């Protein structure tokens, strides 16, 4: 039976971790994810879980220890943000290439410089090509639900890849919302026990983890990673179906909000989707045919499905909460536009940059963006690409 409570996003993820009760959690504190290891260590100290908590000297060490524990056969995880993820960079690639199905609670925060501790997606998007599955959360409920689904996805025999469960720093991580929690036994049964086929401490069956790979083998290993990421697509949807049976909450690659007849659509990730939905409701009341496509799964990227969802739109705003410094837009913009082109969906697109380092993104901003899309289609007005929304002149 579901339990209703009020929790911050960090509390919700920590509660999910307690219910899953993984074997090992190495961690090093960094704002705004510090509360997660803090809360988990409190659960351990209070005897509410028996996870082995390992305090380490840096985020590089926390991911190294997580990989080591996973390789030994233990279900493992860590948490971090921003520069912490950047310090793990080498280890992120090793976790994926060694096919370690560990989990990372990523509380999104901008990367320096200039130094800033507020939310954008610079950290997660910077790691988009490291071989990790990436799932983003709009609110605290999704942060909890996504983490409960993390291990069944990552540990699936056809996947065996590490997974990042992402939420927006401070906006969801520290804000308190109403939330519906599953019973401990329900989560335990849903996630199940971790029973790896190969692991270092499997007596009598020695293996090597992370050996040097000569050119004759390295490329094949990379291809196997790519195949696993492709396999993750079906597994994510299968796990979501089972989760819906348990919780009544439905998940997929993305959420389509008032998209049934939308001429103008905003594609967006994370907490700002709530702002966009409110603006859509307001504009719908005025007779405007607008909608939101909120992306949940960024890796593997659901290009074909997004193209299908957008094929009837007249114009699409693609919202990036980070800058890729390629002078050609943000990572979400590039991925969506490439997906539309490859699937032969010809629709007008405008890529916007918003919310960098915590800059406010308001309902009025969304009104203005939809107004620009309408002006583009109805009047042929050329719209500036890669606008920084809310930029001071």
């Amino acid at each position: 039976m579901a339990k209703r409570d009020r929790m911050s996003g960090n509390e919700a993820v920590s509660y999910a971790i307690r219910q899953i009760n993984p074997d090992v959690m190495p961690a090093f504190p960094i704002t705004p994810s510090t509360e997660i290891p803090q809360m988990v260590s409190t659960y351990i100290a209070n005897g509410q879980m028996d996870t082995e908590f390992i305090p380490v000297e840096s985020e590089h060490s926390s991911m190294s220890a997580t990989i080591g524990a996973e390789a030994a056969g233990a279900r493992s995880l860590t948490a971090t943000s921003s520069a912490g993820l950047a310090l793990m960079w080498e280890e992120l690639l090793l976790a994926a290439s060694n096919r370690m199905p560990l989990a990372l609670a990523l509380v999104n925060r901008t990367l320096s410089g200039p130094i800033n501790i507020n939310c954008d997606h610079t950290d997660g998007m910077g790691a988009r090509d490291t071989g990790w599955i990436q799932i983003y959360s709009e609110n605290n409920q999704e942060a909890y639900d996504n983490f409960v689904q993390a291990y069944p996805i990552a540990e699936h025999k056809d996947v065996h890849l590490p997974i990042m469960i992402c939420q927006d720093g401070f906006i969801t991580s520290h804000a308190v919302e109403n939330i519906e929690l599953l019973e401990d036994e329900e989560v335990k049964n849903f996630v199940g026990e971790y029973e790896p086929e190969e692991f270092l401490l499997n007596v009598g069956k020695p293996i090597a983890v992370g050996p040097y790979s000569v050119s004759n083998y390295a490329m094949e290993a990379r291809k196997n990673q790519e195949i696993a990421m492709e396999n993750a697509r079906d597994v994510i949807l299968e796990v979501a179906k089972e989760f819906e049976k348990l919780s009544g909450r439905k998940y997929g690659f993305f959420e389509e909000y008032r998209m049934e007849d939308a001429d103008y659509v905003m594609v967006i990730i994370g907490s700002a989707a709530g702002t966009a939905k409110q603006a859509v409701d307001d504009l719908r009341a005025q007779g405007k045919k607008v909608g939101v496509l909120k992306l949940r799964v960024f890796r593997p990227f659901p290009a074909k499905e997004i193209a299908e969802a957008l094929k009837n739109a007249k114009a699409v705003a693609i919202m990036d909460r980070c800058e890729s410094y390629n002078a050609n837009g943000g990572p979400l913009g590039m991925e969506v536009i490439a997906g539309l082109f490859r699937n032969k969906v010809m629709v007008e697109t405008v890529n916007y940059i918003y919310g960098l380092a915590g800059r406010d993104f308001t309902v009025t901003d969304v009104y203005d963006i939809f107004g620009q899309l309408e002006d583009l289609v109805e009047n042929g007005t050329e719209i500036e690409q890669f606008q920084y929304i809310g930029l001071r002149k």
Side-chain angles (χ1 to χ4, degrees), residues 30 44 91 103 109 129 140 143 145 149 158 197 201 208 223 234 248 298 390:
I30 183 169
I44 296 169
E91 303 303 315
R109 168 189 148 188
D129 296 332
N140 304 5
D145 291 348
Q149 295 175 67
D158 295 332
E197 184 178 346
L201 298 184
K223 180 58 179 177
D234 290 339
F298 187 71

Side-chain angles (χ1 to χ4, degrees), residues 310-374:
L310 297 177
K311 67 181 182 181
N312 294 321
K314 294 179 179 178
V316 178
I318 309 169
M319 310 302 296
D320 269 293
R321 197 163 196 161
C322 67
E323 171 61 88
S324 60
Y325 297 110
N326 68 350
N328 193 41
L332 182 59
M334 290 183 287
E335 299 261 8
V336 171
I337 292 167
L340 292 172
F341 179 80
R342 290 195 183 103
N343 289 281
K344 298 179 173 56
V345 174
M346 297 298 110
V347 58
E348 295 282 359
T349 61
V350 184
N351 191 189
Y352 296 87
I353 310 296
Y354 78 100
L356 300 187
R359 182 64 56 89
D360 285 343
F361 182 64
T362 68
V363 172
T364 301
D365 292 329
V366 182
Y367 297 159
D368 292 343
I369 290 167
F370 278 122
Q372 288 189 14
L373 295 185
E374 186 175 14

